[in-house]
Amino acid sequence: MDVRPTAPIVFSDLKAQVQAPFRYRSDGVCGNASGGGYGGPKLGEKGREQGLAIGLDLASSREWFNENVMDVETMSIVTGGTVKTSDAYLINGEPGDLYPCSKEGYTNPYETDVVLVAPGQSTDVLLTADQPIGSYYMAASPYETVTTPEFRFDNSTTTGVIVYEGYMSSTPLMPIMPHPYDTPTAYRFSSHLTKLVKGRFYTPVPRMVDEHMFMTLGLGLIACGKKETCSGPLGQRFAASISNYSVEFPSKLSILEAHFYNVSGIYNATLPNKPEKPFDYTNPNDALNPELLWTSKSTTVKKLKYGSVVQIVFQNTAVLAPESHPMHLHGFDFHVLAQGFGNYNPKQDRKKFNLRNPPTRNTLSVPKLGWAVIRFQANSPGAWLLHCHLDIHITWGMLTVFIVDNGAKILFTLALIWLASATEFKDDKELNTIVQTQIREDD
């Protein structure tokens, strides 16, 4: 988690409010992390990436568009004209008080003193400075789900300091932090976020699903080379997989280039919609089951029709080292319909789907020994990565690629986007219905 600046934040008004985007990074430069982080609550965003968490940094000034920036750029390419004028400029992700901007958020208000930020996630927090005048730590510590001895983590705490103006003591008060294995607290936060239906950027959940996918997530093993010495379990190499497909990137040509130029032999588009070998996914007795431990490397992807609606059930498994996997999808936001523990049961768990106001994210931490269901529309052609946001799991192979074909009606959809900017529709649902109807009629 990145909490800045290092100098204390001073409040001169006890009722002052500060909106602070928290951003968790897990990368090789800043240090790997094997779990999420607790912070001291995602509203979402439609513009370009926001800047620093707290504080003034003119280098993070950006433009803001009241629509998807990719649609703005694509429309320019289609029409041959320039891009539309931005709707505002931002400093630290905020437009200031000179723009007629709506103050409505993206999620319904949710009051909490603990925030879960998984690797790859961003979360906006609205903090009310209404405590007694004093000095307070804002702290972040790891939330860990792996209990296997081979996986160790840095159980330490990073802090920022909030100081009220006029307070002289140099000793900040420390909040009570959750235990690093406090799954109930983590689940309570992640499962209670809901979208603001009357918000400007509310997008309804597509009701008709074209691709139903069930993906298992877990670790496994690949054989150690004959002349190698490997330090993984049983003297083998660690691997990670989706539905037991441990994917590696091609070395000769990228997947996107191979798709665009129709080059064969670079990847195979045979990722199944469900595991080829179903089993009792969360049974701890299968942790070292030799029939489930082994996987192999390949470059296996999934092809999707442009405009198709995809629903994915992520199912974590108990194989080898069960843990929570933060799954991140490039190119799209998705609706988080439901999540829970144990094996996903379609008859019972479909009743838990939130189809009215689910949160929209691009990264979701799937509960340890549990499941989560997402739904999105594949409306952006290209090759888009789906992967676990724990960096070593990408290296080990927990990833795949969605190749979205060019749609026959992509120009029609873009024309509707342009039309929407000049036409008063009742709401986004009406526009979405028109687009979906046209796409389905052409299939």
Side-chain angles (χ1 to χ4, degrees):
M1 177 174 289
D2 194 8
V3 180
R4 290 188 255 180
T6 54
I9 303 163
V10 179
F11 292 110
S12 58
D13 181 354
L14 295 185
K15 293 297 182 180
Q17 292 186 326
V18 175
Q19 189 173 6
F22 286 76
R23 193 167 183 82
Y24 188 107
R25 293 194 302 178
S26 169
D27 54 53
V29 176
C30 298
N32 289 319
S34 59
Y38 285 113
K42 171 167 170 169
L43 299 183
E45 59 178 297
K46 275 284 184 176
R48 303 180 183 182
E49 183 179 350
Q50 298 187 10
L52 298 180
I54 305 175
L56 179 62
D57 180 7
L58 295 181
S60 57
S61 176
R62 310 287 180 117
E63 292 178 284
W64 176 272
F65 294 87
N66 287 333
E67 56 194 284
N68 190 306
V69 292
M70 294 304 297
D71 293 338
V72 173
E73 182 178 341
T74 305
M75 183 54 65
S76 172
I77 296 173
V78 171
T79 63
T82 185
V83 296
K84 62 165 288 187
T85 304
S86 63
D87 296 287
Y89 292 107
L90 309 178
I91 295 178
N92 280 7
E94 294 295 332
D97 57 5
L98 301 182
Y99 294 101
C101 294
S102 170
K103 294 300 183 181
E104 61 190 5
Y106 291 81
T107 63
N108 290 305
Y110 178 67
E111 186 172 335
T112 180
D113 57 1
V114 172
V115 179
L116 175 70
V117 187
Q121 282 186 335
S122 296
T123 298
D124 287 353
V125 179
L126 188 64
L127 181 146
T128 302
D130 59 355
Q131 297 300 305
I133 293 177
S135 177
Y136 301 88
Y137 274 125
M138 177 170 50
S141 62
Y143 163 57
E144 183 55 69
T145 59
V146 182
T147 56
T148 308
E150 289 90 346
F151 295 89
R152 300 173 182 175
F153 69 100
D154 177 11
N155 187 17
S156 60
T157 301
T158 184
T159 59
V161 180
I162 295 176
V163 181
Y164 284 84
E165 189 175 67
Y167 188 71
M168 303 304 294
S169 175
S170 60
T171 305
L173 294 177
M174 186 71 180
I176 299 175
M177 303 299 291
H179 190 276
Y181 295 104
D182 189 354
T183 291
T185 295
Y187 181 75
R188 187 182 305 114
F189 176 80
S190 62
S191 62
H192 277 72
L193 298 180
T194 55
K195 183 177 291 186
L196 189 64
V197 174
K198 295 183 179 180
R200 179 170 185 176
F201 298 110
Y202 169 74
T203 303
V205 180
R207 297 305 177 97
M208 298 179 63
V209 177
D210 302 297
E211 291 276 358
H212 288 270
M213 302 192 71
F214 184 97
M215 295 182 172
T216 57
L217 311 173
L219 302 186
L221 299 175
I222 57 173
C224 187
K226 293 183 179 180
K227 297 183 179 180
E228 296 179 328
T229 300
C230 300
S231 58
L234 307 178
Q236 307 299 325
R237 287 187 174 275
F238 267 116
S241 65
I242 294 177
S243 298
N244 206 38
Y245 284 81
S246 187
V247 173
E248 58 185 358
F249 292 112
S251 57
K252 296 180 179 180
L253 199 65
S254 74
I255 294 174
L256 179 59
E257 289 175 305
H259 168 63
F260 184 81
Y261 293 110
N262 198 27
V263 179
S264 61
I266 303 299
Y267 63 83
N268 62 82
T270 58
L271 184 71
N273 279 359
K274 58 183 180 180
E276 296 170 339
K277 182 189 294 186
F279 60 98
D280 186 2
Y281 304 111
T282 57
N283 186 345
N285 295 324
D286 280 332
L288 296 176
N289 185 335
E291 295 184 2
L292 303 175
L293 275 178
W294 299 95
T295 184
S296 59
K297 293 293 183 181
S298 64
T299 305
T300 304
V301 307
K302 172 71 176 180
K303 279 196 171 185
L304 298 172
K305 289 184 178 181
Y306 173 81
S308 60
V309 174
V310 184
Q311 179 173 294
I312 302 176
V313 177
F314 292 120
Q315 175 69 65
N316 268 329
T317 73
V319 177
L320 201 57
E323 63 181 302
S324 173
H325 294 285
M327 300 304 294
H328 175 60
L329 177 60
H330 290 216
F332 309 95
D333 290 332
F334 51 73
H335 302 280
V336 183
L337 302 186
Q339 50 190 306
F341 296 94
N343 293 340
Y344 174 75
N345 185 324
K347 292 184 179 180
Q348 296 179 3
D349 294 328
R350 279 200 191 102
K351 301 175 184 178
K352 303 174 184 177
F353 283 14
N354 179 359
L355 298 175
R356 179 178 179 270
N357 62 347
T360 301
R361 313 205 76 153
N362 58 34
T363 305
L364 171 66
S365 192
V366 183
K368 175 183 178 180
L369 295 178
W371 52 269
V373 183
I374 68 170
R375 191 179 293 180
F376 69 97
Q377 184 182 15
N379 55 6
S380 184
W384 303 104
L385 193 64
L386 172 68
H387 64 91
C388 176
H389 224 295
L390 300 178
D391 288 356
I392 192 61
H393 289 186
I394 302 175
T395 303
W396 288 349
M398 190 179 289
L399 62 98
T400 191
V401 174
F402 287 125
I403 296 180
V404 182
D405 292 328
N406 292 328
K409 279 302 174 182
I410 184 172
L411 296 182
F412 173 81
T413 304
L414 291 171
L416 281 181
I417 294 170
W418 174 83
L419 181 63
S421 65
T423 303
E424 289 294 330
F425 288 94
K426 294 179 181 179
D427 50 35
D428 287 342
K429 184 177 181 180
E430 181 182 355
L431 176 60
N432 183 68
T433 301
I434 295 173
V435 174
Q436 286 298 307
T437 301
Q438 185 64 40
I439 290 174
R440 294 180 188 282
E441 286 179 354
D442 288 350
D443 283 344

